[in-house]
Amino acid sequence: MSIRHGLLALLEPGARYGARLRTEFLARTGGTWPLNIGQVYTTLGRMERDGLVVQSGVDEAGRVLYALTEVGRAELRDWFTRPVQRASPPRDELAIKLVMAVGAPGVDVREVVGAQRRHVAEALHGYVRQRAEALARAHEHPDEMTRLLVLEQLVFHAEAESRWLDICEARLLRLARAGQSGKFG
């Protein structure tokens, strides 16, 4: 998630100070993506420089409040209407690890895949448990809906990674059997 745009969204209802933005970000995302206070203030500084937010005074405790500008509101509206681009996928450490393991001497790729598969299975189990808990509380706590959305994404990503590992393992096993690669087995 874009921290910049997430903070803009949290500022839309009104001015906030940095620590409150961090707390609201963590609450809204179910604590899934850690956000330290330094990231918040660094991002606020950049957004202020870019004209998206302004300092709008201080609260009763002396904390600096930040508010959206019209440019910031326009940027937020644009972000909500713009699809997330998939043309340039982010680097994936697991994909890099597997392709490097294939060519690395003394590395059993089955062990690499197996270790990841166990990790994904544990993570998936945890996400499914958390999802069930969030579903049980959703009718009492409306904020659980945002947590539920994040958990659904985590479940689907873990399931997709597990399927991808199955495909990788099958493909590499076929290559080893065909004698094209002695690296897997």
Side-chain angles (χ1 to χ4, degrees):
M1 173 181 197
S2 165
I3 294 170
R4 173 184 179 119
H5 291 100
L7 295 180
L8 288 174
L10 293 172
L11 286 169
E12 212 283 323
R16 306 270 193 283
Y17 56 90
R20 181 171 175 195
L21 287 168
R22 178 185 178 272
T23 300
E24 289 182 14
F25 182 92
L26 293 174
R28 189 79 59 94
T29 63
T32 304
W33 297 292
L35 180 64
N36 70 51
I37 197 67
Q39 287 176 288
V40 171
Y41 282 107
T42 299
T43 304
L44 285 169
R46 288 186 192 128
M47 291 191 308
E48 187 176 18
R49 176 200 68 205
D50 296 342
L52 302 173
V53 300
V54 294
Q55 292 185 20
S56 66
V58 295
D59 68 3
E60 62 281 350
R63 295 173 291 218
V64 175
L65 297 172
Y66 293 86
L68 282 180
T69 63
E70 284 308 311
V71 173
R73 285 185 203 294
E75 173 66 22
L76 181 60
R77 282 191 305 272
D78 183 54
W79 181 61
F80 280 132
T81 61
R82 189 175 59 236
V84 174
Q85 295 297 311
R86 300 288 184 212
S88 169
R91 286 187 185 100
D92 184 288
E93 183 177 353
L94 177 56
I96 293 169
K97 181 187 278 190
L98 286 180
V99 299
M100 295 301 167
V102 169
V107 175
D108 185 344
V109 180
R110 285 181 302 188
E111 290 178 14
V112 175
V113 170
Q116 188 66 28
R117 188 184 313 284
R118 286 186 296 279
H119 171 73
V120 170
E122 289 172 17
L124 181 58
H125 177 74
Y127 298 148
V128 168
R129 181 183 44 73
Q130 291 175 51
R131 178 178 64 184
E133 292 167 0
L135 274 168
R137 290 191 304 260
H139 67 283
E140 298 170 11
H141 303 291
D143 288 346
E144 284 296 314
M145 184 55 66
T146 59
R147 184 168 179 256
L148 186 58
L149 293 174
V150 171
L151 287 167
E152 291 288 8
Q153 186 211 32
L154 294 172
V155 166
F156 292 136
H157 276 259
E159 289 172 342
E161 184 173 306
S162 183
R163 288 191 308 270
W164 180 69
L165 287 168
D166 291 343
I167 291 167
C168 290
E169 187 173 47
R171 185 152 292 149
L172 292 166
L173 197 56
R174 278 193 302 270
L175 286 174
R177 286 185 184 147
Q180 296 174 339
S181 172
K183 304 291 183 198
F184 193 77

